[in-house]
Amino acid sequence: MRSMGSVRTRKLTAKQRLEIVDRVREGYTHAHLASIYGVSRPRIGQIAQADEATLALWEKNANLPPLEDQTDPTH
């Protein structure tokens, strides 16, 4: 039997990818985020470097409420 070592094959949701982008912007290290989400540091780097079109797609797929609903006290 072959040892799998530290191979990680976890798939991240769109919401998790957006969280990673936010946390990188807040100053979290790639190594720390890799350990939290169970992916490699290079994968964190790829996610952090996503372009605006990719971020918009993730936001759509994450089914997050519109930003206005989060800040409007009447809702």
Side-chain angles (χ1 to χ4, degrees), residues 13-19 21-22 25 51-67:
T13 66
K15 182 179 178 188
Q16 289 172 315
R17 291 186 294 250
L18 291 170
E19 289 172 358
V21 170
D22 287 341
R25 290 176 181 167
D51 60 19
E52 292 300 320
T54 302
L55 291 173
L57 179 63
W58 292 344
E59 288 174 1
K60 179 182 174 189
N61 291 340
N63 293 322
L64 298 174
L67 194 55

Side-chain angles (χ1 to χ4, degrees), residues 7-70:
V7 174
R8 301 174 192 166
T9 58
R10 184 160 183 239
K11 177 139 171 87
L12 298 171
T13 66
K15 182 179 178 188
Q16 289 172 315
R17 291 186 294 250
L18 291 170
E19 289 172 358
I20 289 168
V21 170
D22 287 341
R23 288 180 173 184
V24 166
R25 290 176 181 167
E26 291 171 5
Y28 284 76
T29 66
H30 291 195
H32 183 66
L33 292 172
S35 68
I36 291 172
Y37 290 96
V39 296
S40 68
R41 283 181 288 176
R43 181 66 183 130
I44 296 295
Q46 290 172 339
I47 292 167
Q49 296 299 319
D51 60 19
E52 292 300 320
T54 302
L55 291 173
L57 179 63
W58 292 344
E59 288 174 1
K60 179 182 174 189
N61 291 340
N63 293 322
L64 298 174
L67 194 55
E68 302 82 41
D69 291 349
Q70 294 176 0

